[in-house]
Every structure is written in C-alpha cells, then in structure tokens.
Amino acid sequence: MRHWGESPFEPELAAEAVLGQMEMAVIVCDRFSNIIHINAFAKKLFGFAGSEYIGQSVLSLGIAEEDHEQATELARHVLKGGVWEGTFCNLRADGSTIYTRAQAVPLRHPSGAIDGVAILAREALRSNQRDQDRYGLLDRIGTRLAGSLELEVTLRAVADTLIPQFADHVFIDLASADKLVRRVSRHAGGWTPPPGTWAEVGEQVVHPPEHHAAKAMSRRDAVLVDLSTGLDGELGLTSMISAPLVARGQVLGVMSLGLSHLGRRADPHYDGFDRDLVGAIAGRVALSIDNAMLFEEERQTALAFQRHLLPGERPPRLDGLQIAWRYEPARPLESHGHGIQTQVGGDWYDVIPLSAGRVGIVIGDVEGRGARAAAVMGQLRAALRAFAQDDKSPADIMRKLDEWVRTMSPADAPRPSLVSCTYFVYDAWSRELTFSNAGHSPPLTVVDGRVGELDFHSAAGAMLGVRSPGLGGDIIYNEETVTLPPGSTLVLYTDGLVERRPRDDGTYYTGEQARGLIQADLARVARSGVETVANTVFSAVPGDIDDDVALVVMRTAPEELPVEERTFPSEPIMVSEARRLAAETFAAWGLHDDEAEMACLLVSEIVTNVVLHATNVPAQKRALVGAPELSFDEDDWDLSSVGLGLGRPEPVKQEFRLRLRKGAGALWVEVFDPDLRLPRIRNAGETDEGGRGLYLVDQIAARWGSRPTPDGKAVWFELPLT
C-alpha cells in the first residue's frame, strides 16, 4: 500500500542512462590514462562517432601538442588523490579547434585505492563561468603571442586562438605605406567564402568612412555592429566587432571578428562585454605585431648585410669545375632560450679565381651569432681574398689568417673569435687539389658513385684565433695535395647542417646520424647535377636548422683541358723557339689569327724578360768582412785517395719552362724560372733600349702577375678569347 504523495513509479535510472543524458562530456580512464568509458556528449564534443577511442590514450581525444605536458600533470596530480581543473585546446576529427574546460577527480576502489581518473569536460564559454573563461581567453592570447617574433607566426597564432572559440570569421588588415592590405582571412570549419565576398589575403582593402572598420580606426576604439541581413540565409554574418590595432601611438591596422551560423551557437551575437574584450585583445595583438614588424625589419637588415658580404646568388663559370652553393639563416632564437636574436651568423664561403685558371675555394664558420659574427665574417672574407690574390699557398694563408684573427679583436674582448676554416686551391688542368685546414669538418666526397670523406692528415690544424694575442704556440698549419679523378664531387658544409636537427619525438639527431642521412641521400643523387646535389644534401636531415648553414658543392670535369708545356735552355735563341711552340699550339687549338698573334707577341716579351733578367744572374761572391783572403792550388791537394774528386764544377745550365693553357673563354701563359725575384714594371726613358716588355704585357693582357713556386717563380698573363 502506497502512502499519499509517493510516486507511482519505481526509481529505475541506471548509471548509463544518467551519463547518456548529461550535457557534459564524461571520460573515464584507468591508471595508465587509457580511456575505458565515454558518454554520448563526449563523442559530440570531441567530434567522433563510435567507440574507436576505447583503450586509447586520453591524448587521442585531440589534445593539442602544446597541452600534452598539462595533461600529463593532470594525471599525475589526480592519481595522488588531488582534484584538477583547467582549460585544454582540442583538435577535432574534422580539423576544427575547440577549447574545453575540464575537471578531473580520482576514481576510488571500495578499498580506498585509486583505480583511475574521471574527467568532466564542457566547451569553454558555454557555462555560468562565461566571464571567467573569456578572461582566460585573454591570457591564452597573451601566451600564444609571446611564443614568436615572426609576423606571419604571430598573425596565425591570433587566428588559431580566436577561431572557433570566440569567432567564426577573423580578418586582420595592416597598413602598408598609404594603404591597407589584408593579411589574415580565416573562417571556422575550413569554410571558404564565395569568390568576391571579401578581399583575399595580400589584396588591398578599402573601407568606406561609414564602415565599422573605418570607424574603429578613426575613433581608435572598438565598434560593435549587429547585422540584420547576412550574405545569405544560411551562413550570413550576425554580429561583428572591429577593433583598431594601435601600438606606440600609431594605428597599424584593424582587426575584425564576426559571428555567423557557421558556429551553430545558441546566441550568435556579441555584446558590450565582448566589445571591451576584443578591444583588450586588439591592444595585445597590436603590440605583438609592432614588435614582430620591428624584429622583421631588423632581421631583414641583418640578412641583407650578411648576404652582401657573401658571393652572389650565381657561382662564376669556371673551367673544369662546376659549382653550386647555398646559404640559409636559421630561424629566430626566441623559442630556444637564447634570447631574441636575428640568427644571422658567421658561416661563409667564397670562390676566388686565381692565376692561370686555378681556383681558390673556402668554407668557414665564425663562432657565435648576430651582427658581430657577421661583421667578423665579412672582414675575414676580404682578408682571405687579398691574401689569395697574392697566390700564397694554403698553409701560408692559414697562418696569416690566424694572426689576423688574433690581432683584430677589440681590446675589451675576453678572447678573439674562434674561426673554423678550410682553404682549397684546385688546378683543373692537373686535377690537383691543395688544401689547408683550421679546425673545420672535412668535406664529403663522391668518387665513382662511392661516398666518403676527404682525409685530413697533416693538414688538420687548430681553429683560427685559438692562441691569445701576442702569445706563441705549437699551432702549425700544413697543407696537402691530392689528385681528384674526373667527375669527382666534393661537398663542403658548415656544422649547422648536421647539428641540433630535431626529430618528431622532440629529441635531436646526433652529428653522426645526420651525416649518415646525408651520405645516404648523396649516394642516391651522386650522378645528378650539382644543383640537385646541393638541394638534396640541404634537405637530407629533417627538422628546422638551429644554426645558419653554408654549403658548397664542387665537381671536376670528366674531360681533359688543353695544355702544352716544354722546358727550354735559358739562351736568347730560345725566345724564337718558345714563340714557335706557342704559334703551333695556338693554331692547333683553333685560335683566330689576331688572337694568336697577340698571344705570341706577349709570349716573346715574357720569355725575353726571363732570359735577360732572371736566368742569367751571376752568382754573388760572399766573403767574410775583414778576414784574410784564402787561396790554394788544386795541385797541392791529392784528394783522389778519399774519393772526393773535387775540381772545378761545371756551370749549371739555367732553364725556363713555358706552359700554355686554354679554357672556354680565356688563354693562360705561364713562364717558370729558378729566380726568386719577382718582376716589376720599369719606367723606361725615351732613349732606353729596354724596359718596356712588362709595360706592354700590362697594357694588352686582361690580367698578369707573378707568384712564388717551390723552386723559383712563375710569371703569367691571361688573354680573353672571343
């Protein structure tokens, strides 16, 4: 018998029925954060249809990577018996973004032990905590904007944070010179507006004076408008807020946010509170945009400064050698904990035409980053070019650069800048590569399709600037010479190519692992063009570079280059013989008659100068000052018994060597002799019979000069070929 007031129905509400009807997502996880139950509203909130997430990690609900650490902290805290509450950013299955407010509590066994975690979640801004969550949005905007100083990243962060949580449409127009240019046009759910609806990104925007965006800029205050009619009945705009972007007293542009039926909100209209909130957001956005624009200007200035200190975009055309190069600065360092830097650095390279068609190639890296490293790099490149034009050997150039680096540092610097560097000299006709190294990584080599490294034996020296100014030491720079087979490839690079390259899991490739990836890809494209090789090597290791990268690829020609060489006795009659050899060689090479005649004339002048002044110099007699003159007669000495056979030595016959070389666009002539004295142009008088030979060479040849050799010197000149 029932009493008055009692319900006629027995309570039969199961827990499953209650959870299924809740307008709140319920997710139950075990101790290992694996999902064991979800209700219907959770499927709707997170955008999936079935139970495919059962048994998966809670991170599979689309928690953004930036919030993974927060989710881990949630589980750790709740499994210790605590209660946690906070906001997550979730990526839905359709690609849209949603912010959820979550509360997590521990699940206890009847024994009192904690078996898992129960999470209650709802969409942010859809509860009684509306005001609190919107202030949370302001904090999140500030956090996202603090993550980058790059303008495009800043603008993208603004749009990603506001859509879809607070807006269905976001537009940002920035002033450029005297016009507005649309920089952001983003819409919820990946929706694309019909053509001609709004200005596209990159197009100029003109707002009439009565437009809410124009009013916002003129008033310097946020403007709220309710739209009675939209673009169409289904996706029409219902409400918009335009807020000026003002920083340091200047209007940078305007930001407009809109609501429409895309968001399927219960109330698709903004109110006065929203207008004030957008005004506050616009202030922070404007300051971040201004900082990003200033930083971009500084960065572009620094990059232009550095790029002008490096060679041009296209390598020069060289005989017997193909060249490709790359330079790429790293991204700004504000996310790496090093402070804000432009990431220009001291990586450098150069290709220097030398005498007789030889080529100097250098790759190097100045320690540190920023303008100072770039300035040191520019001075170092200029100094090396000056030393190289004197045809110094690679080891001599390294010694000079080391001294230059140690003496150029400011007086208040704790120590000189450290510089790694390798200088190569390549002769395409003999295929000899001579090099000296100062603490730089050896280049990769590709010979007959096999990838390896160039061995640095005696040429492996210490970095430039290791010794303090004014101190001596045991640092010695040597050089080596190797012969490169036809079609060989060398890949010169700086350490930014292989150091601190991130993996997908957040760890980094080691230098050996990075080199292994590069060598594998290099073997795959070993027979491709040098540009393809350069692109492949640069992109072989995935992930953003942490330091700037310089890369030079050089390949030797498969064919032999024309050369003729002969040694002559140093006698006046040999001048005509040398000219005859030159004439026959030039004819065989197919030179035009006027070019051959001009070249033969200069050959005569150079050879005559060598015969008269270099190879017929009498030996200077040396005597002790103030000492008595000693003399003896050979007849008084019998030296046959000791086998010395001393007598009057035969005079050494002096010789000179003539070498002719032909390239694609120039002809080179070299004359070698044993005299160490370098020639110079004389100012011959009107009545002088000689002294005009080198002057004639200087006036006719494109370039000429002399360089020391191990056993004397070489005088050379270059003539262009039509």
Side-chain angles (χ1 to χ4, degrees):
M1 179 178 179
R2 300 183 184 276
H3 297 285
W4 182 84
E6 290 183 341
S7 172
F9 303 102
E10 293 289 343
E12 297 180 354
L13 292 178
E16 183 69 27
V18 174
L19 293 177
Q21 297 179 44
M22 288 184 62
E23 287 293 315
M24 177 175 286
V26 179
I27 305 102
V28 182
C29 305
D30 61 17
R31 291 183 55 85
F32 305 102
S33 298
N34 296 320
I35 300 173
I36 59 178
H37 177 80
I38 52 176
N39 69 344
F41 190 85
K43 299 176 183 180
K44 177 181 178 182
L45 180 65
F46 296 111
F48 53 87
S51 300
E52 65 269 24
Y53 286 88
I54 299 298
Q56 302 293 321
S57 169
V58 70
L59 297 179
S60 64
L61 292 177
I63 297 178
E65 184 177 354
E66 64 198 59
D67 288 339
H68 281 187
E69 183 177 351
Q70 183 177 229
T72 304
E73 179 61 28
L74 177 155
R76 186 183 300 115
H77 179 73
V78 175
L79 289 175
K80 291 180 180 179
V83 176
W84 187 94
E85 185 173 1
T87 303
F88 285 102
C89 177
N90 297 82
L91 303 178
R92 284 174 163 169
D94 60 1
S96 62
T97 303
I98 184 174
Y99 291 91
T100 57
R101 188 73 179 177
Q103 184 180 34
V105 297
L107 284 180
R108 296 184 182 273
H109 189 268
S111 64
I114 298 177
D115 282 346
V117 178
I119 302 174
L120 308 177
R122 53 177 171 71
E123 184 179 358
L125 304 183
R126 293 190 61 181
S127 74
N128 294 330
Q129 297 184 350
R130 180 170 180 261
D131 296 348
Q132 178 182 347
D133 287 339
R134 291 195 177 185
Y135 283 122
L137 172 65
L138 186 62
D139 292 337
R140 183 175 288 271
I141 281 279
T143 302
R144 296 288 296 270
L145 293 180
S148 175
L149 275 176
E150 296 179 87
L151 182 58
E152 294 302 323
V153 175
T154 299
L155 298 176
R156 187 165 58 247
V158 173
D160 291 343
T161 306
L162 295 175
I163 291 180
Q165 181 185 8
F166 191 73
D168 298 326
H169 312 273
V170 173
F171 307 97
I172 298 180
D173 306 327
L174 296 182
S176 177
D178 57 347
K179 60 184 179 180
L180 277 179
V181 177
R182 178 137 297 171
R183 301 299 298 270
V184 172
S185 178
R186 188 75 65 84
H187 311 277
W191 177 72
T192 301
T197 304
W198 292 300
E200 300 289 339
V201 174
E203 293 182 354
Q204 181 179 357
V205 181
V206 179
H207 296 302
E210 65 277 5
H211 194 274
H212 48 85
K215 292 179 180 179
M217 288 189 292
S218 62
R219 299 175 185 175
R220 296 196 175 193
D221 194 10
V223 175
L224 167 64
V225 292
D226 281 328
L227 305 175
S228 57
T229 58
L231 298 176
D232 55 47
E234 183 180 358
L235 297 174
L237 290 173
T238 57
S239 185
M240 289 203 73
I241 298 175
S242 290
L245 300 173
V246 182
R248 299 179 178 90
Q250 292 188 342
V251 178
L252 305 180
V254 62
M255 179 176 69
S256 299
L257 279 62
L259 293 178
S260 68
H261 299 297
L262 282 178
R264 295 181 173 86
R265 291 173 170 81
D267 182 14
H269 294 83
Y270 290 125
D271 56 22
F273 180 88
D274 297 325
R275 180 193 60 202
D276 296 338
L277 179 64
V278 172
I281 292 175
R284 295 194 178 191
V285 171
L287 188 59
S288 296
I289 289 176
D290 189 53
N291 289 336
M293 294 174 68
L294 291 175
F295 182 77
E296 284 293 318
E297 183 179 354
E298 176 189 353
R299 176 175 167 82
Q300 292 303 320
T301 301
L303 289 177
F305 167 67
Q306 185 176 39
R307 291 188 185 278
H308 279 81
L309 293 176
L310 293 172
E313 295 183 0
R314 295 183 178 179
R317 297 183 61 183
L318 303 168
D319 290 302
L321 196 62
Q322 297 179 7
I323 295 284
W325 56 44
R326 296 286 184 277
Y327 172 77
E328 185 67 27
R331 298 185 62 180
L333 281 177
E334 71 275 5
S335 60
H336 298 290
H338 300 283
I340 299 170
Q341 297 185 20
T342 59
Q343 270 298 74
V344 297
D347 289 19
W348 58 294
Y349 57 90
D350 206 353
V351 175
I352 309 168
L354 303 176
S355 63
R358 300 176 307 130
V359 180
I361 304 171
V362 63
I363 187 91
D365 185 3
V366 180
E367 71 164 343
R369 295 164 178 164
R372 182 177 183 274
V376 173
M377 176 271 293
Q379 297 177 64
L380 193 63
R381 177 181 176 236
L384 188 141
R385 270 191 164 261
F387 298 151
Q389 293 301 327
D390 287 341
D391 275 310
K392 301 292 184 182
S393 67
D396 286 341
I397 288 182
M398 284 299 168
R399 286 188 286 269
K400 284 182 171 291
L401 287 179
D402 179 54
E403 180 180 358
W404 181 85
V405 169
R406 290 185 290 114
T407 57
M408 68 162 291
S409 300
D412 57 348
R415 60 173 175 79
S417 299
L418 297 181
V419 181
S420 67
C421 177
T422 307
Y423 179 60
F424 305 83
V425 174
Y426 180 65
D427 188 330
W429 283 263
S430 65
R431 299 189 182 277
E432 289 185 346
L433 181 74
T434 304
F435 55 90
S436 183
N437 180 56
H440 201 78
S441 301
L444 300 175
T445 60
V446 182
V447 179
D448 295 330
R450 297 188 301 272
V451 179
E453 284 188 346
L454 182 65
D455 291 330
F456 287 160
H457 298 295
S458 60
M463 297 178 71
L464 306 177
V466 168
R467 291 180 294 173
S468 298
L471 296 181
D474 298 328
I475 298 177
I476 299 175
Y477 296 101
N478 298 318
E479 64 185 54
E480 298 179 44
T481 299
V482 297
T483 301
L484 298 180
S488 301
T489 302
L490 264 67
V491 179
L492 289 56
Y493 62 92
T494 55
D495 55 10
L497 184 67
V498 297
E499 290 186 353
R500 282 188 61 85
R501 302 298 290 272
R503 298 173 180 265
D504 293 337
D505 59 2
T507 61
Y508 292 89
Y509 291 98
T510 65
E512 290 302 321
Q513 291 171 336
R515 272 184 281 270
L517 293 174
I518 293 173
Q519 291 179 359
D521 281 6
L522 183 56
R524 180 173 52 83
V525 297
R527 304 190 185 280
S528 303
V530 290
E531 291 290 341
T532 300
V533 171
N535 292 333
T536 301
V537 169
F538 184 80
S539 58
V541 185
D544 291 334
I545 58 176
D546 189 67
D547 193 5
D548 52 340
V549 175
L551 177 70
V552 178
V553 178
M554 54 177 288
R555 175 174 295 165
T556 63
E559 68 278 355
E560 300 295 332
L561 301 182
V563 60
E564 184 67 36
E565 186 173 340
R566 187 178 303 176
T567 301
F568 298 90
S570 181
E571 300 174 359
I573 195 174
M574 291 294 106
V575 175
S576 60
E577 291 297 322
R579 178 165 181 149
R580 182 178 297 109
L581 171 66
E584 293 173 354
T585 302
F586 297 154
W589 287 346
L591 266 68
H592 295 167
D593 292 342
D594 53 347
E595 292 175 337
E597 184 64 27
M598 188 68 67
C600 289
L601 171 63
L602 299 188
V603 168
S604 298
E605 296 296 335
I606 292 290
V607 171
T608 300
N609 184 78
V610 168
V611 170
L612 294 181
H613 302 291
T615 57
N616 288 325
V617 178
Q620 299 295 325
K621 193 180 272 188
R622 299 182 179 180
L624 296 176
V625 178
E629 186 174 344
L630 300 178
S631 63
F632 63 91
D633 191 342
E634 291 180 8
D635 296 335
D636 296 336
W637 298 78
D638 184 9
L639 301 175
S640 59
S641 61
V642 295
L644 296 179
L646 294 179
R648 296 187 181 277
E650 291 292 331
V652 178
K653 293 183 179 180
Q654 302 286 358
E655 295 179 332
F656 68 89
R657 179 160 47 100
L658 175 65
R659 183 163 69 187
L660 311 173
R661 290 179 167 186
K662 180 179 177 295
L667 178 75
W668 288 278
V669 174
E670 296 175 284
V671 180
F672 300 84
D673 67 77
D675 187 22
L676 296 176
R677 297 175 302 168
L678 301 180
R680 59 183 179 86
I681 299 177
R682 292 174 52 190
N683 294 323
E686 295 182 1
T687 59
D688 292 345
E689 295 183 0
R692 296 179 177 84
L694 290 181
Y695 176 79
L696 186 63
V697 174
D698 182 68
Q699 295 298 308
I700 296 177
R703 295 192 305 157
W704 78 278
S706 59
R707 69 174 187 273
T709 62
D711 54 359
K713 71 172 182 297
V715 183
W716 59 274
F717 68 84
E718 174 187 341
L719 279 178
L721 299 177
T722 58

Coordinates of all heavy atoms in Angstrom, one line a residue, residues 115 121 154 181 272 280 325 337 365 432 524 529 635:
D115 N 41.8 3.8 -8.6 CA 41.9 3.0 -9.8 C 42.0 3.7 -11.1 O 42.4 3.2 -12.1 CB 40.6 2.1 -9.9 CG 40.7 0.9 -8.9 OD1 41.8 0.7 -8.4 OD2 39.6 0.3 -8.7
A121 N 34.1 17.4 -18.8 CA 34.5 18.5 -19.7 C 33.3 19.1 -20.4 O 32.3 18.5 -20.7 CB 35.5 17.9 -20.8
T154 N 52.9 35.2 -35.7 CA 52.0 36.0 -34.8 C 50.6 36.1 -35.3 O 49.7 35.8 -34.6 CB 52.6 37.4 -34.6 OG1 53.9 37.3 -34.0 CG2 51.8 38.2 -33.7
V181 N 46.3 46.5 -46.3 CA 46.4 45.2 -47.0 C 45.9 44.1 -46.1 O 46.3 44.1 -44.9 CB 47.9 45.0 -47.4 CG1 48.1 43.6 -48.1 CG2 48.4 46.0 -48.3
G272 N 28.3 44.0 -25.3 CA 29.2 45.0 -24.9 C 30.4 44.5 -24.2 O 31.5 45.0 -24.3
A280 N 40.6 44.9 -25.7 CA 41.8 44.5 -24.9 C 42.7 43.5 -25.7 O 43.9 43.6 -25.7 CB 41.4 43.9 -23.6
W325 N 76.1 26.5 -54.7 CA 76.2 26.9 -53.2 C 74.9 27.3 -52.7 O 74.0 27.6 -53.4 CB 77.3 27.9 -53.0 CG 77.1 29.2 -53.8 CD1 75.9 29.9 -53.9 CD2 78.1 30.0 -54.4 NE1 76.2 31.1 -54.7 CE2 77.5 31.1 -55.0 CE3 79.5 29.8 -54.6 CZ2 78.2 32.1 -55.7 CZ3 80.2 30.8 -55.3 CH2 79.6 31.9 -55.8
G337 N 65.5 29.7 -25.9 CA 66.0 30.1 -24.6 C 67.3 30.9 -24.7 O 68.0 31.0 -23.7
D365 N 83.4 29.2 -40.6 CA 82.4 29.4 -39.7 C 83.0 30.2 -38.5 O 83.9 29.7 -37.9 CB 81.7 28.2 -39.2 CG 80.5 28.4 -38.3 OD1 80.2 29.6 -38.1 OD2 80.0 27.4 -37.7
E432 N 94.9 18.7 -59.5 CA 95.5 18.7 -58.2 C 94.7 19.6 -57.2 O 94.4 20.8 -57.6 CB 96.9 19.1 -58.2 CG 97.8 18.1 -58.8 CD 99.3 18.4 -58.7 OE1 99.6 19.6 -58.4 OE2 100.2 17.6 -58.9
R524 N 72.4 8.5 -53.5 CA 71.3 8.3 -54.4 C 71.3 9.3 -55.5 O 70.9 8.9 -56.6 CB 70.0 8.5 -53.6 CG 68.7 8.3 -54.4 CD 67.5 8.4 -53.5 NE 67.5 9.5 -52.6 CZ 67.1 10.7 -53.0 NH1 66.6 10.9 -54.2 NH2 67.1 11.7 -52.1
G529 N 73.1 16.5 -61.3 CA 73.8 17.8 -61.4 C 74.1 18.4 -60.0 O 73.5 18.0 -59.0
D635 N 146.7 21.6 -57.3 CA 147.8 20.7 -57.4 C 148.4 20.3 -56.1 O 149.1 19.3 -56.0 CB 148.9 21.2 -58.4 CG 148.3 21.4 -59.8 OD1 147.3 20.7 -60.1 OD2 148.8 22.3 -60.5

